[in-house]
Amino acid sequence: VAEATAGGDAASCKESELDKGKNEYNKGNYEEALKAWKHSMMSVKYILDKGLYKEKPEQLQEVHSMELKLSVNMAQGYLKTGDWNKAIEFADRALARDAKNLKALYRKASALLSLLNFSEAIAVLEALVARGRAQERRRHHHARGGEAERRRGGAAG
């Protein structure tokens, strides 16, 4: 881990493990996928703990994005292996990075339902629906704004 991160090749190292995890997941090898994603997460944790990109905001944002993606993937992997508590743990990690992440909310709700924790699952599902609707409204608003802009541009030309 130290060599990869110190050598500046951390991003490609994490990417290859991320891809390996995705390939294993797609083959139904959930334990192997989790193993690859854990390896990537160790690299991310090393970079964050050492503050390697604290002076490089773009690279730091990349690492945070990788951490989010890995957390969401690991939550799904743990759902597949039936480790509901771990699924919740990683969904919560993703939500700590991005509280509006719809996949993380859905995966947390799924794990809570599997644990028969209905009241908490309902609360998470309500948040999921509210955020999904807000996202849809923004998407619709932007689409309409673009349509109005095209009409104005067409009328002027």
Side-chain angles (χ1 to χ4, degrees), residues 89-154:
E89 175 188 331
F90 281 95
D92 281 340
R93 283 190 193 187
L95 292 167
R97 186 63 60 203
D98 175 8
K100 298 177 181 178
N101 188 287
L102 299 180
K103 284 184 180 180
L105 286 166
Y106 180 78
R107 290 171 185 173
K108 181 176 182 173
S110 296
L112 288 166
L113 286 171
S114 296
L115 289 170
L116 306 178
N117 188 341
F118 300 119
S119 59
E120 202 173 335
I122 289 168
V124 173
L125 288 168
E126 286 172 346
L128 173 66
V129 169
R131 290 192 175 107
R133 284 184 180 148
Q135 210 173 58
E136 188 58 33
R137 280 193 302 273
R138 281 192 303 278
R139 194 175 302 130
H140 182 70
H141 176 73
H142 289 303
R144 289 185 57 140
E147 184 181 310
E149 187 65 35
R150 282 190 297 277
R151 277 188 293 209
R152 278 195 302 272

Side-chain angles (χ1 to χ4, degrees), residues 66-80:
M66 180 66 68
E67 181 186 32
L68 174 63
K69 186 181 289 189
L70 286 166
S71 295
V72 169
N73 286 357
M74 290 179 76
Q76 180 64 22
Y78 284 118
L79 283 174
K80 288 293 190 178

Side-chain angles (χ1 to χ4, degrees), residues 33-72:
L34 284 165
K35 191 186 300 183
W37 291 330
K38 283 179 197 173
H39 190 263
S40 289
M41 190 64 88
M42 286 174 23
S43 296
V44 166
K45 184 175 173 2
Y46 178 87
I47 291 168
L48 293 174
D49 288 350
K50 295 292 182 184
L52 296 179
Y53 293 140
K54 64 183 173 199
E55 303 297 326
K56 299 177 179 177
E58 282 183 28
Q59 288 89 344
L60 184 60
Q61 182 54 46
E62 255 182 66
V63 175
H64 287 160
S65 294
M66 180 66 68
E67 181 186 32
L68 174 63
K69 186 181 289 189
L70 286 166
S71 295
V72 169

